[in-house]
Amino acid sequence: MTRLIALDTETTGLSPNRGDRIVEIGCVELIHMRKGATRQWFINPERPIPAEATRIHGITDEKVANEPIFRKIAEDFLAFIGSDQLVIYNAGFDLGFLNAELARIKRPLLDGSRVIDALMLARKRFPGAKADLDSVCKRLKIDNAHRKLHGALLDAELLAEVYVALNGGAQFAMDLTGGVEEVVVKVATTEQAVTVDVVRPVRVWPIAREEEQAHAAFLEFMQKEHGACLWTN
């Protein structure tokens, strides 16, 4: 089973190195490129949320005052993502925050080699164009009209749709047997080539019994009329 996790975070600011913390994590499971389970964690950041951050995601001190701190949700979060590949938009940002939180509780950091940066994929698909999530959604005809504010789960759900669309939808190519793709992931200042297993679901197109009978009758007619029929050999 090929399982990916589309992931997004909301934070108190832009820099974990200056003490900013995570206030929300959203995850959407993709199994064979189809949406599976979703998870959302609101987190008490143990520090005030600046007004400028609230204007972006709508999360206030009051909203997360009674939510668990990161340490309390870490096991649940890590169990959900497992060892599967993570799909993140602008991966350096989210990965930096997640690893800062994990380092704070002395847990192993998330390896950048397991991350697919969908921003890099979008820039490759639409070179020179605006590459923020809203612009890419519009270009791929993904409905994001409900995105009035940022939200980790909301953005992870849009990201999952974007990632599937960037890879051609549920069916990547005429070859349905699977394969690997290599993408370049930029984490912080390091670019890494990552090989990703791609499983292309076999699509079955059922036909009605009447159509099957009509097809068989036509082949029989061709055989009698011309003495041979390629499709019956």
Side-chain angles (χ1 to χ4, degrees), residues 129-148:
K130 289 181 66 176
D132 59 277
L133 189 58
D134 282 331
S135 297
V136 174
C137 283
K138 183 176 181 180
R139 212 165 283 120
L140 294 171
K141 302 188 186 317
I142 292 171
D143 182 12
N144 64 337
H146 53 301
R147 191 187 189 231
K148 306 303 181 185

Side-chain angles (χ1 to χ4, degrees), residues 154-171:
L154 169 62
D155 288 359
E157 289 177 329
L158 289 173
L159 170 58
E161 291 189 61
V162 163
Y163 180 72
V164 171
L166 285 172
N167 285 283
Q171 181 174 317

Side-chain angles (χ1 to χ4, degrees), residues 23-157:
V23 295
E24 183 192 0
I25 302 174
C27 292
V28 175
E29 182 183 60
L30 284 172
I31 298 177
H32 298 326
M33 302 299 280
R34 297 183 183 277
K35 182 180 174 182
T38 65
R39 292 298 304 273
Q40 180 182 39
W41 296 268
F42 286 104
I43 299 164
N44 184 330
E46 302 179 89
R47 58 154 292 172
I49 302 174
E52 55 267 31
T54 297
R55 280 194 291 272
I56 293 171
H57 49 56
I59 300 172
T60 62
D61 292 330
E62 292 74 23
K63 183 169 183 176
V64 294
N66 296 318
E67 298 293 343
I69 61 176
F70 182 83
R71 181 187 299 275
K72 298 292 185 181
I73 65 97
E75 289 299 331
D76 191 30
F77 166 68
L78 292 171
F80 183 77
I81 66 172
S83 59
D84 295 304
Q85 292 260 284
L86 304 176
V87 179
I88 305 176
Y89 208 83
N90 190 17
F93 179 86
D94 300 88
L95 197 62
F97 271 94
L98 288 166
N99 280 339
E101 296 285 1
L102 290 168
R104 192 173 283 111
I105 61 174
K106 296 179 170 52
R107 294 300 304 270
L109 306 186
L110 300 175
D111 190 339
S113 65
R114 67 184 285 192
V115 176
I116 302 168
D117 192 337
L119 173 60
M120 304 289 285
L121 298 180
R123 284 176 172 166
K124 183 177 180 180
R125 174 77 173 271
F126 305 112
K130 289 181 66 176
D132 59 277
L133 189 58
D134 282 331
S135 297
V136 174
C137 283
K138 183 176 181 180
R139 212 165 283 120
L140 294 171
K141 302 188 186 317
I142 292 171
D143 182 12
N144 64 337
H146 53 301
R147 191 187 189 231
K148 306 303 181 185
L149 294 170
H150 288 237
L153 181 57
L154 169 62
D155 288 359
E157 289 177 329

